[in-house]
Amino acid sequence: MRRLLVLVLLPMLLCGVARAASPAAAEVAEFSRQAMARHCVPTGPGLAVLVARGDELLFRGACGLADVASGAPLTPDHVFRVASVTKQFTAAGVLKLVDEGRLSLDDPLSKYLPAFPDAGGITVGMLLNHTAGVRNAAIMPAADAGTQGMVDAIGNAGVDFPPGQGYRYSNAGYVLAGAVIERVTGMAWDAYLHQAFFAPLGMTRTRGGHDVGVGDRTGEVTGHVIQQGAWSHARQMDMRLPHAAGALVSTLDDLWAWNRALHAGTVLSAQSHGAMATPRGKAADGNYGYGIAVGTLRGSRVFRHNGGISGASAYLAYLPEHDLTVAVLSNADALQPEVVRNGYLANLLAAHAIGKPYPSRDAIHVDPESLRQYEGVYRTDAATARVLRVVEGRLTSQRIPGGQPVALEPVARDAFALEAAFSRMVFERDAAGAVVAMQFLSDDEAQPERIERSDEPLPSVRQEVRVPVEALQRIAGEYVYRSMTLVVSVDDGTPRVRFNNQQQPIELVPQSPSLFSLKVVDATLEFTPDGDIARKAILRMGPAVNEYVRREQ
């Protein structure tokens, strides 16, 4: 009886899956134009979007501004920083060398970087699928941001796990992969990619990037960040730091040409392409092959990669069954990051283009008191759960440990959609009408996960202490622990911390003038001494305690 409503609701919520015929090009173009416009602020940084079926262009457009300061409009021809989408090109570069017999994925890293610590246990393939265990901490000393300086600092940072024994996304692993390319070819990693791919494929505007900012000599679109509640130009960045993990720039058209060539077999052998798109071993935990994340979208296989860096966000997807390319680029790293970097807009457009659109999510009104009946801890297993609570009149969901609260939009009785995402929750009631469980539909796919509501009380909410901006200024600055850094900023009166070359800063919640919790991570930062310019920042995360020391200017 208690599942009756769920059985009635699920077919209604999934009704969009039934449509199979791909819509006409004009229909895709109009849908894409409207969807892009809904997520664009005309007076802010913009979006550039491309949808193509095979060699047929379905939609190509842009909205917003290329430079907020000057008011110059963004166009689909602009050159964007593509951040971690770079990894796809780096992985393909390594695999091309494999095809040419110049290296093997099973080669130990010691063959190319003999001085790297414990390199004999790391294989080249492990670098490409994030199973090498090298720590994702690749901020280098300012005096040497060249490849060797990067390699040395990564080696000094330690490891997260023994090679091959785990999976953790690692920019550092791709810096090492770039170093391998350089050692094998005798060329800079991006120069090799130009020779191997960009020039032969006519990708004339794809290249290694230089500094982010205004008047950049490469002609790239201006990057933007939020500072003091307003858009400003992204800070200058030495683009040798992201290296082969994230330093390329490109355009919509070049990314389309790349998808067509890579997945049509023009770039790599069938064996190497198959390996690139096949997660194996521990990498299967992240559904990650070699430079390609593998998943499903409305029942169809999808190859994708996202990217985010100071001043830019990117997303590139390819659906092989439909020969469909979707690319979304932005000249901001804080423009609704879930819309670009997390793939919301790209997935929305792809689903419509293959004739399996996501169902309508028109919100209905539910008063805050009625929302409280859904509050509780929904336990997945002993270690993880979803906490639902009403915050400022809206029901929110937070994965614990470490998740960020996400607003839920009511779309039917006992049914909610995650804001700027496709996942949904449909709640079950017992015979007395009490909420006892949820059916969680990840990405709105047809196989829901049933999660029971536990008897646990709601976890207490950390109480924020108000600290004057003048008092917060004492903690602003850069702190160093071994080869790792954290940068604390108080640009708009809100303290934030950015670790290493992390794409997005994390907001700090004051517990006292010296103690702060991290908003989206179960961790704290304590600054010492009290009442003076902070000289140390002590990071406590689980059992780990790391002491960062202020870097004097």
Side-chain angles (χ1 to χ4, degrees):
M1 176 67 72
R2 71 185 186 186
R3 298 192 182 185
L4 179 59
L5 183 59
V6 173
L7 295 175
V8 171
L9 275 173
L10 283 179
M12 295 171 59
L13 292 171
L14 294 170
C15 62
V17 178
R19 179 180 175 183
S22 297
E27 184 181 346
V28 173
E30 180 59 21
F31 179 88
S32 300
R33 184 191 65 77
Q34 292 184 16
M36 179 185 71
R38 283 198 302 271
H39 295 290
C40 207
V41 178
T43 57
L47 298 169
V49 176
L50 180 144
V51 183
R53 187 184 294 124
D55 58 4
E56 179 188 12
L57 180 64
L58 302 177
F59 176 76
R60 180 179 182 271
C63 59
L65 301 178
D67 183 359
V68 171
S70 69
L74 191 70
T75 75
D77 293 317
H78 269 113
V79 178
F80 291 80
R81 207 163 292 285
V82 298
S84 284
V85 176
T86 299
K87 291 181 174 68
Q88 191 167 111
F89 297 94
T90 300
V94 171
L95 288 165
K96 184 171 180 61
L97 294 173
V98 171
D99 285 344
E100 295 171 351
R102 301 173 71 180
L103 62 76
S104 167
L105 294 177
D106 295 327
D107 283 344
L109 182 60
S110 57
K111 182 175 179 179
Y112 307 102
L113 304 175
F116 191 85
D118 300 318
I122 299 172
T123 67
V124 173
M126 290 176 186
L127 300 176
L128 300 185
N129 66 9
H130 304 296
T131 61
V134 292
R135 184 159 291 161
N136 192 22
I139 283 288
M140 302 301 115
D144 185 3
T147 298
Q148 190 57 53
M150 302 279 282
V151 170
D152 291 343
I154 293 169
N156 293 333
V159 299
D160 288 325
F161 49 81
Q165 299 304 304
Y167 169 86
R168 182 168 294 175
Y169 187 87
S170 174
N171 290 320
Y174 268 78
V175 172
L176 297 178
V180 170
I181 289 176
E182 294 186 355
R183 192 61 57 91
V184 173
T185 65
M187 305 170 64
W189 67 273
D190 53 335
Y192 169 71
L193 294 181
H194 180 269
Q195 179 190 80
F197 302 136
F198 307 153
L201 296 175
M203 298 170 61
T204 58
R205 307 186 75 192
T206 302
R207 58 185 178 268
H210 296 289
D211 290 345
V212 177
V214 188
D216 191 44
R217 66 181 182 272
T218 59
E220 297 150 25
V221 67
T222 301
H224 294 80
V225 297
I226 289 284
Q227 288 187 337
Q228 298 181 348
W231 289 111
S232 64
H233 293 146
R235 64 183 176 85
Q236 295 291 324
M237 176 187 294
D238 187 340
M239 290 309 293
R240 293 177 297 173
L241 295 176
H243 204 263
L248 289 182
V249 300
S250 190
T251 65
L252 292 175
D253 293 337
D254 277 7
L255 292 176
W256 178 22
W258 171 252
N259 259 6
R260 294 286 293 142
L262 175 65
H263 301 298
T266 304
V267 169
L268 298 173
S269 68
Q271 181 178 358
S272 286
H273 179 269
M276 196 175 184
T278 305
R280 54 180 55 77
K282 290 294 184 179
D285 295 344
N287 294 319
Y288 200 96
Y290 298 138
I292 289 179
V294 181
T296 58
L297 191 152
R298 312 302 280 159
S300 295
R301 202 174 190 211
V302 59
F303 303 146
R304 54 196 170 198
H305 214 295
N306 65 353
I309 202 168
S310 178
S313 305
Y315 198 93
L316 178 64
Y318 180 76
L319 282 68
E321 297 167 31
H322 306 273
D323 198 8
L324 185 79
T325 290
V326 180
V328 180
L329 303 174
S330 174
N331 59 329
D333 61 5
L335 179 67
Q336 300 174 297
E338 66 278 1
V339 170
V340 180
R341 196 170 63 250
N342 292 359
Y344 178 80
L345 181 56
N347 291 344
L348 181 72
L349 301 181
H352 179 269
I354 66 173
K356 297 180 180 179
Y358 287 99
S360 171
R361 54 184 298 153
D362 294 335
I364 64 173
H365 175 71
V366 178
D367 65 86
E369 283 306 310
S370 297
L371 292 176
R372 295 196 183 280
Q373 64 188 305
Y374 304 104
E375 287 188 322
V377 178
Y378 295 76
R379 176 64 60 184
T380 305
D381 53 43
T384 57
R386 286 186 177 272
V387 174
L388 270 63
R389 72 170 85 234
V390 177
V391 178
E392 298 180 351
R394 302 188 71 183
L395 187 63
T396 66
S397 171
Q398 181 178 16
R399 287 182 296 178
I400 56 173
Q404 183 176 11
V406 177
L408 302 177
E409 298 174 341
V411 294
R413 184 173 184 269
D414 288 342
F416 293 78
L418 274 68
E419 188 176 50
F422 299 109
S423 299
R424 297 183 179 227
M425 298 175 180
V426 181
F427 292 89
E428 296 180 12
R429 297 177 181 271
D430 62 15
V435 175
V436 294
M438 72 164 74
Q439 297 277 350
F440 182 75
L441 293 83
S442 179
D443 287 334
D444 213 11
E445 297 293 342
Q447 296 299 321
E449 175 189 11
R450 186 175 186 274
I451 308 174
E452 293 191 357
R453 185 181 187 177
S454 74
D455 295 329
E456 303 168 56
L458 281 174
S460 60
V461 179
R462 291 169 174 159
Q463 297 300 312
E464 180 174 352
V465 174
R466 180 173 177 79
V467 179
V469 174
E470 297 76 14
L472 291 175
Q473 295 296 340
R474 62 177 287 274
I475 70 171
E478 184 174 350
Y479 301 78
V480 182
Y481 170 70
R482 295 180 180 174
S483 64
M484 297 178 285
T485 64
L486 63 82
V487 179
V488 178
S489 61
V490 195
D491 294 328
D492 56 358
T494 300
R496 296 181 177 87
V497 61
R498 186 190 298 267
F499 291 91
N500 301 309
N501 56 348
Q502 180 187 16
Q503 298 159 359
Q504 291 290 321
I506 299 173
E507 186 173 332
L508 296 175
V509 181
Q511 308 297 298
S512 77
S514 297
L515 181 65
F516 298 77
S517 59
L518 278 66
K519 191 167 186 179
V520 299
V521 181
D522 289 334
T524 62
L525 269 176
E526 183 178 7
F527 296 88
T528 61
D530 291 336
D532 192 5
I533 295 297
R535 302 297 175 187
K536 295 180 181 179
I538 302 170
L539 175 67
R540 294 182 174 88
M541 185 181 301
V545 180
N546 295 331
E547 187 175 285
Y548 290 73
V549 178
R550 178 184 287 272
R551 174 177 284 167
E552 300 300 338
Q553 301 300 318

